[in-house]
Amino acid sequence: MTSRITFIVLTLSLSCLASAQAFAGATNGPSALALAALVGDRAPQVVPLEKRLLAAFLDGHAEMPHPKGKNIVVKADSIDCRASNVDVTQHACTLAFGDKKIELVGRKAHELYATLVENGVAADGAAGSIHVAVTALDCQVDADEVREKAGGGARCAFNP
């Protein structure tokens, strides 16, 4: 009987662990690059040179000069984007970087909203508003790998 209970407890524990890991999100390639570039443009930890490099990559300029071995890290504590399904002109996002919060509206907010959806973040609707949100965003962009134009170089992980 004890071994049967141990087996059941172990099975349930592993099942819960697998479920928790299934909720974490990860993406790579062009969708991850777009997410890193859009968030990186506003991230206080990303220096201006890195912001220009990310923007150039997003604009299709993989050959942009950069220091060899350049890796760009883009992190955000949370991103919450919403679009109204009543007033279809309303789009807004709140990005949190520690104590710093940045608000985006209009086209910039819609671009980030759509990019989150492109990266597999599920929309959640409520009373006239549709939300897409993530926490613990962590993107890594390897500039040398992006320059190779072989489909790699950008990876993002997050909690939806």
Side-chain angles (χ1 to χ4, degrees):
M1 182 73 163
T2 303
S3 63
R4 187 175 200 185
I5 292 173
T6 302
F7 175 75
I8 291 171
V9 169
L10 182 60
T11 302
L12 288 174
S13 297
L14 291 174
S15 175
C16 288
L17 179 61
S19 295
Q21 290 174 343
F23 288 115
T27 186
N28 58 49
S31 298
L33 177 62
L35 184 56
L38 294 176
V39 175
D41 184 50
R42 303 299 179 144
Q45 83 273 13
V46 179
V47 298
L49 174 67
E50 294 172 334
K51 289 179 184 199
R52 285 191 301 275
L53 187 55
L54 288 170
F57 286 164
L58 186 57
D59 285 341
H61 303 291
E63 69 287 342
M64 183 73 169
H66 62 272
K68 187 161 179 59
K70 181 67 177 166
N71 288 304
I72 303 169
V73 176
V74 177
K75 293 186 178 201
D77 294 321
S78 66
I79 302 170
D80 181 12
C81 291
R82 53 210 173 279
S84 175
N85 57 2
V86 177
D87 180 354
V88 296
T89 67
Q90 295 301 306
H91 301 91
C93 293
T94 303
L95 293 83
F97 305 96
D99 292 338
K100 184 172 183 168
K101 292 200 185 309
I102 296 174
E103 301 289 330
L104 301 177
V105 295
R107 183 182 298 250
K108 293 276 185 190
H110 180 266
E111 187 176 24
L112 182 53
Y113 175 98
T115 302
L116 286 168
V117 171
E118 177 185 356
N119 277 277
V121 179
D124 183 24
S129 194
I130 304 166
H131 283 264
V132 291
V134 298
T135 59
L137 177 70
D138 182 0
C139 296
Q140 311 284 323
V141 177
D142 179 331
D144 294 336
E145 194 174 345
V146 170
R147 186 177 202 147
E148 292 173 7
K149 297 182 184 181
R155 293 163 212 57
C156 292
F158 50 83
N159 295 321

